[in-house]
Amino acid sequence: MEILKNLWILIEIGGPVMIPIFLVSGWLWGLIVMKADWVWRTSRNQLPLSEAMTCLQSGRAIPSNSPRAQAINQFMANCNGTRSHNRNADKLLLDAAIRKQTGAIQKYIPTIIILAAVAPLLGLFGTVSGMVETFKVIGMYGMGNAQAMASGIREAMITTQAGLLVAIPGIFIGQVLKKKANNIQRDLLVFQRGIVQWLEKECEI
């Protein structure tokens, strides 16, 4: 309850712009937590190439949510459990399965980066709103009402600070997660080349 009380005080000080800043912050950090958890689990549960080949030979599905495992499962599902032993057809089916996993790897990353970029803009909007309120007070009472002027300036500073506090760690962590996701994607392409080479050998037998 104390946290909610403090948040309400910040909203009262910073004005209505604080509400979308809080909403953006909650959305941003929710996506960051989900993506970070996915990256951590994926990095720990990488499917070895040898195990993938064994599963392809046996036609057994792989009980894992890693991109490698999901790509192999999708490939076998497209083959209806039996490979065509046609080199070009198998390559196309494997490429389609890999491309499908690319979308899952990059999921949430663009949204995280966009939300981190939106937060300081909302803070800037609050800054402008606070300064407009300050000039309105100056226009009505002149420079004599320091307390009324301070209210508008305080609103401007609080919203700017809130927007930056959301944006700076959000942009940093978003870029780290983007780099991790790109590494996973590159690893998946290397894995694809290994599977393609194995499929070519199988087609020659």
Side-chain angles (χ1 to χ4, degrees):
M1 292 298 294
E2 188 68 23
I3 295 176
L4 293 177
K5 182 179 179 181
N6 292 335
L7 289 177
W8 180 250
I9 291 173
L10 282 176
I11 291 173
E12 287 183 329
I13 296 173
V17 178
M18 292 296 292
I19 295 176
I21 290 177
F22 282 139
L23 292 176
V24 167
S25 177
W27 188 6
L28 172 66
W29 285 102
L31 294 181
I32 285 175
V33 168
M34 287 191 291
K35 192 62 184 180
D37 178 66
W38 182 89
V39 168
W40 181 77
R41 287 187 289 103
T42 298
S43 301
R44 289 193 60 188
N45 300 320
Q46 287 286 20
L47 175 71
L49 186 59
S50 57
E51 186 178 341
M53 294 174 183
T54 302
C55 293
L56 284 171
Q57 286 177 326
S58 63
R60 175 174 56 88
I62 305 169
S64 173
N65 290 325
S66 69
R68 287 184 174 190
Q70 290 298 310
I72 294 298
N73 290 339
Q74 181 67 34
F75 172 68
M76 290 191 294
N78 290 339
C79 293
N80 296 320
T82 57
R83 298 195 313 278
S84 64
H85 293 284
N86 181 296
R87 182 181 303 177
N88 291 330
D90 285 344
K91 281 184 179 181
L92 288 173
L93 291 175
L94 179 62
D95 187 62
I98 294 293
R99 286 180 181 276
K100 186 174 182 180
Q101 291 309 307
T102 300
I105 292 171
Q106 297 296 333
K107 188 177 182 181
Y108 299 144
I109 297 293
T111 307
I112 288 171
I113 293 173
I114 289 172
L115 289 175
V118 165
L121 296 179
L122 289 173
L124 179 61
F125 180 77
T127 302
V128 174
S129 176
M131 295 311 295
V132 167
E133 188 66 27
T134 300
F135 289 127
K136 186 185 297 184
V137 170
I138 292 174
M140 293 175 63
Y141 304 106
M143 301 291 291
N145 194 335
Q147 186 174 358
M149 289 172 55
S151 176
I153 295 172
R154 184 170 54 179
E155 176 183 339
M157 295 299 102
I158 287 290
T159 53
T160 303
Q161 184 182 42
L164 292 175
L165 285 174
V166 173
I168 292 171
I171 290 173
F172 175 75
I173 297 175
Q175 291 299 323
V176 171
L177 290 175
K178 182 179 179 180
K179 184 178 180 180
K180 295 285 187 183
N182 289 339
N183 290 338
I184 292 172
Q185 187 169 335
R186 282 193 295 269
D187 176 78
L188 185 61
L189 294 177
V190 173
F191 175 78
Q192 179 186 7
R193 286 196 290 271
I195 295 296
V196 166
Q197 290 175 1
W198 180 80
L199 290 172
E200 287 176 346
K201 291 180 181 178
E202 287 287 298
C203 290
E204 291 173 359
I205 297 175

